[in-house]
Amino acid sequence: MVTSMGNGTGDESGSELDDVLNGVGPRLRTLRKGRGSTLAALAEATGISVSTLSRLESGGRRPSLELLLPIARAHQVPLDELVGAPPVGDPRVREKKPIERYGQTFFPLTQQPGGLQAFKVIARQMDYAPEPRTHEGYEWLYVLSGRLRLVLGPHDLEIGPGEAAEFDTRVPHWFGPATKAPVEFLSLFGPQGERMHVRAKPKKD
């Protein structure tokens, strides 16, 4: 759950976090009404009760990832659009520009060269067949919204929101949207020998 925690920087950072969280409710209401959706329709799409959605929009319920992720999926928007980017962010994160590659937009989340690298990725459907590649390293993927297709060696896998996969990048691999809709996911890439704690699951028939 999203909470305000002290980190030794005084009240300024806590106040900034409160400002961001307080802006979530009005942003949710504006987005829903702009799409012509009702609270009842959104409740049916997300599995969240009408009363909880109403309190979220009015500020009576503190936003959390458990609530915001299904709302973002229902509206088919990035999670950032619900939370809103602060006007002045951490330059160690924000100074890096997004990288466009293979029809995917990579948003770097780490600054230091070498070691473990983190990215948020938005991938859109491309009009060409998968072209598996190999390179040194180890990768971990976590799907935020949409459905991700992962071609890994002889396997053709499909991963949904909340699911993850990890693999040795020396195995021929390719990943992109499994459907016509974009897919948003987190990517952690590290040197050979880095390991995570979850595995890819085969696509269900």
Side-chain angles (χ1 to χ4, degrees), residues 142-161:
Y142 178 85
V143 178
L144 298 172
S145 64
R147 299 199 64 84
L148 181 70
R149 180 185 179 189
L150 171 62
V151 177
L152 181 64
H155 305 289
D156 194 338
L157 313 169
E158 187 172 313
I159 309 170

Side-chain angles (χ1 to χ4, degrees), residues 42-54:
L42 186 58
E44 183 176 353
T46 60
I48 302 171
S49 69
V50 170
S51 62
T52 297
L53 291 171
S54 178

Side-chain angles (χ1 to χ4, degrees), residues 102-146:
Y102 308 130
Q104 301 177 0
T105 304
F106 294 78
F107 298 88
L109 302 178
T110 48
Q111 174 67 20
Q112 74 279 3
L116 192 65
Q117 300 294 309
F119 301 88
K120 186 179 79 171
V121 187
I122 299 177
R124 299 166 181 82
Q125 190 177 49
M126 301 296 291
D127 296 327
Y128 58 77
E131 298 179 0
R133 302 169 182 268
T134 63
H135 52 86
E136 291 290 321
Y138 205 81
E139 191 152 5
W140 180 88
L141 306 174
Y142 178 85
V143 178
L144 298 172
S145 64

Side-chain angles (χ1 to χ4, degrees), residues 19-126:
D19 289 342
V20 171
L21 294 179
N22 290 337
V24 171
R27 190 173 291 107
L28 291 175
R29 183 184 294 110
T30 298
L31 178 62
R32 176 179 59 80
K33 290 188 174 181
R35 292 171 177 262
S37 178
T38 64
L39 284 172
L42 186 58
E44 183 176 353
T46 60
I48 302 171
S49 69
V50 170
S51 62
T52 297
L53 291 171
S54 178
R55 284 186 291 134
L56 269 176
E57 292 188 358
S58 65
R61 176 69 181 264
R62 197 171 179 85
S64 67
L65 285 176
E66 290 82 1
L67 295 173
L68 294 181
L69 282 175
I71 294 175
R73 288 197 295 267
H75 288 312
Q76 295 187 338
V77 298
L79 186 62
D80 290 356
E81 189 168 328
L82 301 186
V83 178
V88 179
D90 185 342
R92 293 172 297 176
V93 174
R94 294 174 61 83
E95 70 178 11
K96 283 194 171 183
K97 295 182 179 180
I99 302 167
E100 296 285 345
R101 187 172 59 191
Y102 308 130
Q104 301 177 0
T105 304
F106 294 78
F107 298 88
L109 302 178
T110 48
Q111 174 67 20
Q112 74 279 3
L116 192 65
Q117 300 294 309
F119 301 88
K120 186 179 79 171
V121 187
I122 299 177
R124 299 166 181 82
Q125 190 177 49
M126 301 296 291

Side-chain angles (χ1 to χ4, degrees), residues 194-205:
E194 293 283 353
R195 292 294 185 273
M196 307 302 170
H197 301 288
V198 289
R199 301 287 175 184
K201 296 179 180 179
K203 179 171 60 176
K204 295 180 180 180
D205 295 333

